[in-house]
Amino acid sequence: MKRKEKSSGGGANWMDTYGDMVTLLLCFFVLLYSISSVDENKWMALVKSFNPDASPTAVEESGSQGPADEASEGMSIEESEEALAEQAEIDRAIEQLYQALVDYEQQSELGASIETTRGDGYVFISFDDAVFFAGERYDLLEQGQEVLADLCAIFDTAADSIDEIRVMGHTAQLRDNQENRVENDRFLSSNRATNATIFIQENSAITGARILSEGYGQHRPIDDNSTAEGKGHNRRVEIIITGRDVLSGAGSSVEQYYTQRAGGASQLPDTLG
């Protein structure tokens, strides 16, 4: 009796080929997805690996979409390079401003009542209320005027790079189970911020349009109101100095105000242009 020959199994080899093809297609689409959003820094590193002399505008010429590309949309290469250079100079000025404020804090007799920090494009200064004001009052103390005069001199060193100075007044809740009287609370914090703002405007090179005052009352505490020390921390004046951002395309804070007021179309008055 003739035996039936065993199958070699070759009929299933097409599945191996099909599996390889699907895997390759998957890798291909993953690759397409990965290059659809190129990180600007990584792309520049790649560009520089081929051309060490490449400038940041090489990213624009390559067609990738990143922050520098969006900021310079509609600019020539020369204008884009000028904007990047100007922003770098502004950033240096804000860094030097921050260092000068830190040095002042460390050298001042009131240094323990002053705290200076820095974020992306801004400097934040916080003062215990005793630096500027007596309890429940909003007229500037003599030592408060001296501190603000010193700060104005420091602000002036970076006046061309400052976009906005925002002065914020805060109070503390007097009773744990009862909020302060709204009228007194708001007026006290607003008047303290306003008097500090007036002094800065009268004694610095920063224009009035770029100096703002805000009163928050008791509503943004940073410590527990159940202790005298905590209340002292909550009664405070804060100042935020923001650097100009020439790459965002949104314009200065003053320009943004008029743009918002006009519903999107910038209408900056000629007197502020």
Side-chain angles (χ1 to χ4, degrees), residues 48-79:
K48 284 181 176 293
S49 69
F50 292 102
N51 180 11
D53 297 326
S55 67
T57 53
V59 178
E60 299 173 11
E61 295 168 352
S62 68
S64 67
Q65 294 293 323
D69 187 50
E70 294 173 1
S72 59
E73 185 176 353
M75 293 184 181
S76 67
I77 294 177
E78 183 178 350
E79 290 172 332

PDB file of all heavy atoms in Angstrom, residues 48-79:
ATOM      1  N   LYS A  48      22.327  71.113  13.091  1.00  0.00           N
ATOM      2  CA  LYS A  48      23.702  71.475  13.404  1.00  0.00           C
ATOM      3  C   LYS A  48      24.671  70.307  13.217  1.00  0.00           C
ATOM      4  O   LYS A  48      25.865  70.504  13.001  1.00  0.00           O
ATOM      5  CB  LYS A  48      23.800  72.011  14.833  1.00  0.00           C
ATOM      6  CG  LYS A  48      23.275  73.425  14.983  1.00  0.00           C
ATOM      7  CD  LYS A  48      23.422  73.917  16.414  1.00  0.00           C
ATOM      8  CE  LYS A  48      22.980  75.377  16.527  1.00  0.00           C
ATOM      9  NZ  LYS A  48      23.889  76.275  15.799  1.00  0.00           N
ATOM     10  N   SER A  49      24.161  69.071  13.324  1.00  0.00           N
ATOM     11  CA  SER A  49      25.037  67.921  13.093  1.00  0.00           C
ATOM     12  C   SER A  49      25.491  67.853  11.640  1.00  0.00           C
ATOM     13  O   SER A  49      26.565  67.345  11.333  1.00  0.00           O
ATOM     14  CB  SER A  49      24.314  66.625  13.481  1.00  0.00           C
ATOM     15  OG  SER A  49      23.253  66.359  12.582  1.00  0.00           O
ATOM     16  N   PHE A  50      24.645  68.400  10.737  1.00  0.00           N
ATOM     17  CA  PHE A  50      25.018  68.459   9.326  1.00  0.00           C
ATOM     18  C   PHE A  50      25.710  69.773   8.981  1.00  0.00           C
ATOM     19  O   PHE A  50      26.563  69.820   8.102  1.00  0.00           O
ATOM     20  CB  PHE A  50      23.769  68.300   8.440  1.00  0.00           C
ATOM     21  CG  PHE A  50      23.164  66.932   8.499  1.00  0.00           C
ATOM     22  CD1 PHE A  50      22.030  66.702   9.258  1.00  0.00           C
ATOM     23  CD2 PHE A  50      23.732  65.867   7.831  1.00  0.00           C
ATOM     24  CE1 PHE A  50      21.466  65.438   9.330  1.00  0.00           C
ATOM     25  CE2 PHE A  50      23.171  64.598   7.896  1.00  0.00           C
ATOM     26  CZ  PHE A  50      22.033  64.382   8.644  1.00  0.00           C
ATOM     27  N   ASN A  51      25.293  70.841   9.702  1.00  0.00           N
ATOM     28  CA  ASN A  51      25.862  72.158   9.431  1.00  0.00           C
ATOM     29  C   ASN A  51      26.111  72.879  10.747  1.00  0.00           C
ATOM     30  O   ASN A  51      25.206  73.521  11.290  1.00  0.00           O
ATOM     31  CB  ASN A  51      24.902  72.972   8.557  1.00  0.00           C
ATOM     32  CG  ASN A  51      25.472  74.363   8.248  1.00  0.00           C
ATOM     33  OD1 ASN A  51      26.640  74.638   8.508  1.00  0.00           O
ATOM     34  ND2 ASN A  51      24.630  75.235   7.704  1.00  0.00           N
ATOM     35  N   PRO A  52      27.318  72.786  11.304  1.00  0.00           N
ATOM     36  CA  PRO A  52      27.620  73.390  12.607  1.00  0.00           C
ATOM     37  C   PRO A  52      27.389  74.891  12.639  1.00  0.00           C
ATOM     38  O   PRO A  52      27.216  75.466  13.713  1.00  0.00           O
ATOM     39  CB  PRO A  52      29.109  73.053  12.814  1.00  0.00           C
ATOM     40  CG  PRO A  52      29.364  71.877  11.930  1.00  0.00           C
ATOM     41  CD  PRO A  52      28.468  72.067  10.743  1.00  0.00           C
ATOM     42  N   ASP A  53      27.393  75.551  11.485  1.00  0.00           N
ATOM     43  CA  ASP A  53      27.223  77.006  11.444  1.00  0.00           C
ATOM     44  C   ASP A  53      25.765  77.424  11.297  1.00  0.00           C
ATOM     45  O   ASP A  53      25.473  78.613  11.125  1.00  0.00           O
ATOM     46  CB  ASP A  53      28.024  77.593  10.282  1.00  0.00           C
ATOM     47  CG  ASP A  53      29.521  77.359  10.443  1.00  0.00           C
ATOM     48  OD1 ASP A  53      29.994  77.365  11.606  1.00  0.00           O
ATOM     49  OD2 ASP A  53      30.193  77.175   9.421  1.00  0.00           O
ATOM     50  N   ALA A  54      24.849  76.457  11.378  1.00  0.00           N
ATOM     51  CA  ALA A  54      23.438  76.773  11.174  1.00  0.00           C
ATOM     52  C   ALA A  54      22.926  77.676  12.283  1.00  0.00           C
ATOM     53  O   ALA A  54      23.257  77.506  13.444  1.00  0.00           O
ATOM     54  CB  ALA A  54      22.612  75.484  11.135  1.00  0.00           C
ATOM     55  N   SER A  55      22.104  78.682  11.917  1.00  0.00           N
ATOM     56  CA  SER A  55      21.489  79.593  12.884  1.00  0.00           C
ATOM     57  C   SER A  55      20.095  79.089  13.211  1.00  0.00           C
ATOM     58  O   SER A  55      19.576  78.199  12.545  1.00  0.00           O
ATOM     59  CB  SER A  55      21.410  80.996  12.286  1.00  0.00           C
ATOM     60  OG  SER A  55      20.490  80.998  11.209  1.00  0.00           O
ATOM     61  N   PRO A  56      19.430  79.680  14.255  1.00  0.00           N
ATOM     62  CA  PRO A  56      18.061  79.265  14.569  1.00  0.00           C
ATOM     63  C   PRO A  56      17.099  79.398  13.404  1.00  0.00           C
ATOM     64  O   PRO A  56      16.106  78.701  13.354  1.00  0.00           O
ATOM     65  CB  PRO A  56      17.673  80.216  15.721  1.00  0.00           C
ATOM     66  CG  PRO A  56      18.974  80.576  16.358  1.00  0.00           C
ATOM     67  CD  PRO A  56      19.966  80.617  15.226  1.00  0.00           C
ATOM     68  N   THR A  57      17.405  80.280  12.461  1.00  0.00           N
ATOM     69  CA  THR A  57      16.503  80.440  11.317  1.00  0.00           C
ATOM     70  C   THR A  57      16.563  79.248  10.380  1.00  0.00           C
ATOM     71  O   THR A  57      15.738  79.111   9.501  1.00  0.00           O
ATOM     72  CB  THR A  57      16.863  81.707  10.532  1.00  0.00           C
ATOM     73  OG1 THR A  57      18.253  81.684  10.209  1.00  0.00           O
ATOM     74  CG2 THR A  57      16.593  82.952  11.359  1.00  0.00           C
ATOM     75  N   ALA A  58      17.558  78.370  10.593  1.00  0.00           N
ATOM     76  CA  ALA A  58      17.609  77.163   9.772  1.00  0.00           C
ATOM     77  C   ALA A  58      16.384  76.304  10.014  1.00  0.00           C
ATOM     78  O   ALA A  58      15.945  75.563   9.138  1.00  0.00           O
ATOM     79  CB  ALA A  58      18.870  76.357  10.093  1.00  0.00           C
ATOM     80  N   VAL A  59      15.799  76.423  11.216  1.00  0.00           N
ATOM     81  CA  VAL A  59      14.572  75.688  11.507  1.00  0.00           C
ATOM     82  C   VAL A  59      13.447  76.181  10.616  1.00  0.00           C
ATOM     83  O   VAL A  59      12.657  75.407  10.086  1.00  0.00           O
ATOM     84  CB  VAL A  59      14.192  75.869  12.997  1.00  0.00           C
ATOM     85  CG1 VAL A  59      12.890  75.158  13.304  1.00  0.00           C
ATOM     86  CG2 VAL A  59      15.316  75.355  13.881  1.00  0.00           C
ATOM     87  N   GLU A  60      13.382  77.513  10.439  1.00  0.00           N
ATOM     88  CA  GLU A  60      12.343  78.063   9.586  1.00  0.00           C
ATOM     89  C   GLU A  60      12.532  77.607   8.150  1.00  0.00           C
ATOM     90  O   GLU A  60      11.582  77.225   7.469  1.00  0.00           O
ATOM     91  CB  GLU A  60      12.373  79.585   9.657  1.00  0.00           C
ATOM     92  CG  GLU A  60      12.122  80.122  11.053  1.00  0.00           C
ATOM     93  CD  GLU A  60      12.323  81.617  11.120  1.00  0.00           C
ATOM     94  OE1 GLU A  60      12.449  82.247  10.051  1.00  0.00           O
ATOM     95  OE2 GLU A  60      12.359  82.149  12.238  1.00  0.00           O
ATOM     96  N   GLU A  61      13.790  77.639   7.669  1.00  0.00           N
ATOM     97  CA  GLU A  61      14.060  77.281   6.285  1.00  0.00           C
ATOM     98  C   GLU A  61      13.764  75.805   6.034  1.00  0.00           C
ATOM     99  O   GLU A  61      13.439  75.407   4.929  1.00  0.00           O
ATOM    100  CB  GLU A  61      15.518  77.597   5.958  1.00  0.00           C
ATOM    101  CG  GLU A  61      15.826  79.091   6.014  1.00  0.00           C
ATOM    102  CD  GLU A  61      17.310  79.369   5.979  1.00  0.00           C
ATOM    103  OE1 GLU A  61      18.100  78.409   6.059  1.00  0.00           O
ATOM    104  OE2 GLU A  61      17.671  80.547   5.882  1.00  0.00           O
ATOM    105  N   SER A  62      13.861  74.994   7.125  1.00  0.00           N
ATOM    106  CA  SER A  62      13.613  73.566   6.947  1.00  0.00           C
ATOM    107  C   SER A  62      12.131  73.265   6.841  1.00  0.00           C
ATOM    108  O   SER A  62      11.743  72.172   6.469  1.00  0.00           O
ATOM    109  CB  SER A  62      14.196  72.782   8.130  1.00  0.00           C
ATOM    110  OG  SER A  62      13.464  73.079   9.308  1.00  0.00           O
ATOM    111  N   GLY A  63      11.281  74.242   7.247  1.00  0.00           N
ATOM    112  CA  GLY A  63       9.843  74.048   7.147  1.00  0.00           C
ATOM    113  C   GLY A  63       9.224  73.481   8.391  1.00  0.00           C
ATOM    114  O   GLY A  63       8.020  73.239   8.415  1.00  0.00           O
ATOM    115  N   SER A  64       9.968  73.244   9.475  1.00  0.00           N
ATOM    116  CA  SER A  64       9.382  72.705  10.691  1.00  0.00           C
ATOM    117  C   SER A  64       8.601  73.780  11.398  1.00  0.00           C
ATOM    118  O   SER A  64       8.872  74.959  11.266  1.00  0.00           O
ATOM    119  CB  SER A  64      10.474  72.170  11.623  1.00  0.00           C
ATOM    120  OG  SER A  64      11.264  73.230  12.107  1.00  0.00           O
ATOM    121  N   GLN A  65       7.599  73.390  12.183  1.00  0.00           N
ATOM    122  CA  GLN A  65       6.765  74.325  12.916  1.00  0.00           C
ATOM    123  C   GLN A  65       7.120  74.251  14.391  1.00  0.00           C
ATOM    124  O   GLN A  65       6.828  73.267  15.058  1.00  0.00           O
ATOM    125  CB  GLN A  65       5.273  73.981  12.724  1.00  0.00           C
ATOM    126  CG  GLN A  65       4.797  74.176  11.301  1.00  0.00           C
ATOM    127  CD  GLN A  65       4.799  75.639  10.903  1.00  0.00           C
ATOM    128  OE1 GLN A  65       4.494  76.500  11.709  1.00  0.00           O
ATOM    129  NE2 GLN A  65       5.158  75.922   9.672  1.00  0.00           N
ATOM    130  N   GLY A  66       7.748  75.277  14.899  1.00  0.00           N
ATOM    131  CA  GLY A  66       8.093  75.348  16.314  1.00  0.00           C
ATOM    132  C   GLY A  66       7.865  76.750  16.799  1.00  0.00           C
ATOM    133  O   GLY A  66       7.433  77.626  16.055  1.00  0.00           O
ATOM    134  N   PRO A  67       8.132  77.034  18.099  1.00  0.00           N
ATOM    135  CA  PRO A  67       7.902  78.368  18.643  1.00  0.00           C
ATOM    136  C   PRO A  67       8.612  79.461  17.867  1.00  0.00           C
ATOM    137  O   PRO A  67       8.041  80.515  17.600  1.00  0.00           O
ATOM    138  CB  PRO A  67       8.456  78.245  20.076  1.00  0.00           C
ATOM    139  CG  PRO A  67       8.355  76.791  20.397  1.00  0.00           C
ATOM    140  CD  PRO A  67       8.606  76.094  19.106  1.00  0.00           C
ATOM    141  N   ALA A  68       9.870  79.245  17.502  1.00  0.00           N
ATOM    142  CA  ALA A  68      10.614  80.281  16.772  1.00  0.00           C
ATOM    143  C   ALA A  68       9.996  80.503  15.402  1.00  0.00           C
ATOM    144  O   ALA A  68       9.925  81.623  14.910  1.00  0.00           O
ATOM    145  CB  ALA A  68      12.083  79.886  16.640  1.00  0.00           C
ATOM    146  N   ASP A  69       9.522  79.407  14.777  1.00  0.00           N
ATOM    147  CA  ASP A  69       8.932  79.522  13.447  1.00  0.00           C
ATOM    148  C   ASP A  69       7.627  80.300  13.503  1.00  0.00           C
ATOM    149  O   ASP A  69       7.362  81.169  12.674  1.00  0.00           O
ATOM    150  CB  ASP A  69       8.684  78.123  12.887  1.00  0.00           C
ATOM    151  CG  ASP A  69       8.230  78.167  11.444  1.00  0.00           C
ATOM    152  OD1 ASP A  69       8.887  78.838  10.640  1.00  0.00           O
ATOM    153  OD2 ASP A  69       7.221  77.518  11.138  1.00  0.00           O
ATOM    154  N   GLU A  70       6.782  79.994  14.526  1.00  0.00           N
ATOM    155  CA  GLU A  70       5.501  80.672  14.646  1.00  0.00           C
ATOM    156  C   GLU A  70       5.706  82.154  14.959  1.00  0.00           C
ATOM    157  O   GLU A  70       4.983  83.009  14.471  1.00  0.00           O
ATOM    158  CB  GLU A  70       4.673  80.002  15.747  1.00  0.00           C
ATOM    159  CG  GLU A  70       4.271  78.576  15.391  1.00  0.00           C
ATOM    160  CD  GLU A  70       3.612  77.882  16.558  1.00  0.00           C
ATOM    161  OE1 GLU A  70       3.462  78.525  17.617  1.00  0.00           O
ATOM    162  OE2 GLU A  70       3.256  76.697  16.426  1.00  0.00           O
ATOM    163  N   ALA A  71       6.681  82.448  15.837  1.00  0.00           N
ATOM    164  CA  ALA A  71       6.922  83.837  16.227  1.00  0.00           C
ATOM    165  C   ALA A  71       7.399  84.672  15.059  1.00  0.00           C
ATOM    166  O   ALA A  71       7.119  85.857  14.960  1.00  0.00           O
ATOM    167  CB  ALA A  71       7.949  83.891  17.359  1.00  0.00           C
ATOM    168  N   SER A  72       8.140  84.056  14.152  1.00  0.00           N
ATOM    169  CA  SER A  72       8.737  84.820  13.052  1.00  0.00           C
ATOM    170  C   SER A  72       7.931  84.701  11.767  1.00  0.00           C
ATOM    171  O   SER A  72       8.423  85.076  10.710  1.00  0.00           O
ATOM    172  CB  SER A  72      10.164  84.315  12.811  1.00  0.00           C
ATOM    173  OG  SER A  72      10.154  82.945  12.489  1.00  0.00           O
ATOM    174  N   GLU A  73       6.722  84.176  11.866  1.00  0.00           N
ATOM    175  CA  GLU A  73       5.889  84.054  10.676  1.00  0.00           C
ATOM    176  C   GLU A  73       5.662  85.434  10.077  1.00  0.00           C
ATOM    177  O   GLU A  73       5.258  86.374  10.741  1.00  0.00           O
ATOM    178  CB  GLU A  73       4.540  83.421  11.040  1.00  0.00           C
ATOM    179  CG  GLU A  73       3.661  83.145   9.836  1.00  0.00           C
ATOM    180  CD  GLU A  73       2.384  82.432  10.215  1.00  0.00           C
ATOM    181  OE1 GLU A  73       2.262  82.045  11.387  1.00  0.00           O
ATOM    182  OE2 GLU A  73       1.523  82.274   9.347  1.00  0.00           O
ATOM    183  N   GLY A  74       5.918  85.581   8.816  1.00  0.00           N
ATOM    184  CA  GLY A  74       5.766  86.853   8.145  1.00  0.00           C
ATOM    185  C   GLY A  74       7.001  87.728   8.219  1.00  0.00           C
ATOM    186  O   GLY A  74       7.032  88.797   7.635  1.00  0.00           O
ATOM    187  N   MET A  75       8.035  87.279   8.965  1.00  0.00           N
ATOM    188  CA  MET A  75       9.277  88.047   9.068  1.00  0.00           C
ATOM    189  C   MET A  75      10.291  87.529   8.065  1.00  0.00           C
ATOM    190  O   MET A  75      10.278  86.358   7.693  1.00  0.00           O
ATOM    191  CB  MET A  75       9.893  87.905  10.469  1.00  0.00           C
ATOM    192  CG  MET A  75       9.128  88.519  11.605  1.00  0.00           C
ATOM    193  SD  MET A  75      10.084  88.343  13.149  1.00  0.00           S
ATOM    194  CE  MET A  75       8.966  89.103  14.324  1.00  0.00           C
ATOM    195  N   SER A  76      11.171  88.410   7.672  1.00  0.00           N
ATOM    196  CA  SER A  76      12.306  87.970   6.887  1.00  0.00           C
ATOM    197  C   SER A  76      13.305  87.303   7.819  1.00  0.00           C
ATOM    198  O   SER A  76      13.198  87.398   9.037  1.00  0.00           O
ATOM    199  CB  SER A  76      12.962  89.163   6.186  1.00  0.00           C
ATOM    200  OG  SER A  76      13.552  90.026   7.161  1.00  0.00           O
ATOM    201  N   ILE A  77      14.296  86.620   7.247  1.00  0.00           N
ATOM    202  CA  ILE A  77      15.319  85.974   8.061  1.00  0.00           C
ATOM    203  C   ILE A  77      16.047  87.013   8.907  1.00  0.00           C
ATOM    204  O   ILE A  77      16.302  86.801  10.097  1.00  0.00           O
ATOM    205  CB  ILE A  77      16.312  85.215   7.164  1.00  0.00           C
ATOM    206  CG1 ILE A  77      15.601  84.047   6.469  1.00  0.00           C
ATOM    207  CG2 ILE A  77      17.506  84.720   7.981  1.00  0.00           C
ATOM    208  CD1 ILE A  77      16.480  83.285   5.512  1.00  0.00           C
ATOM    209  N   GLU A  78      16.334  88.156   8.305  1.00  0.00           N
ATOM    210  CA  GLU A  78      17.042  89.211   9.035  1.00  0.00           C
ATOM    211  C   GLU A  78      16.200  89.731  10.202  1.00  0.00           C
ATOM    212  O   GLU A  78      16.704  89.918  11.313  1.00  0.00           O
ATOM    213  CB  GLU A  78      17.374  90.356   8.084  1.00  0.00           C
ATOM    214  CG  GLU A  78      18.174  91.478   8.748  1.00  0.00           C
ATOM    215  CD  GLU A  78      18.535  92.582   7.767  1.00  0.00           C
ATOM    216  OE1 GLU A  78      18.327  92.380   6.552  1.00  0.00           O
ATOM    217  OE2 GLU A  78      19.015  93.626   8.226  1.00  0.00           O
ATOM    218  N   GLU A  79      14.884  89.943   9.960  1.00  0.00           N
ATOM    219  CA  GLU A  79      14.003  90.420  11.026  1.00  0.00           C
ATOM    220  C   GLU A  79      13.876  89.393  12.137  1.00  0.00           C
ATOM    221  O   GLU A  79      13.836  89.747  13.326  1.00  0.00           O
ATOM    222  CB  GLU A  79      12.621  90.744  10.452  1.00  0.00           C
ATOM    223  CG  GLU A  79      12.595  91.972   9.550  1.00  0.00           C
ATOM    224  CD  GLU A  79      11.266  92.143   8.861  1.00  0.00           C
ATOM    225  OE1 GLU A  79      10.577  91.112   8.633  1.00  0.00           O
ATOM    226  OE2 GLU A  79      10.909  93.280   8.538  1.00  0.00           O
TER     227      GLU A  79
END
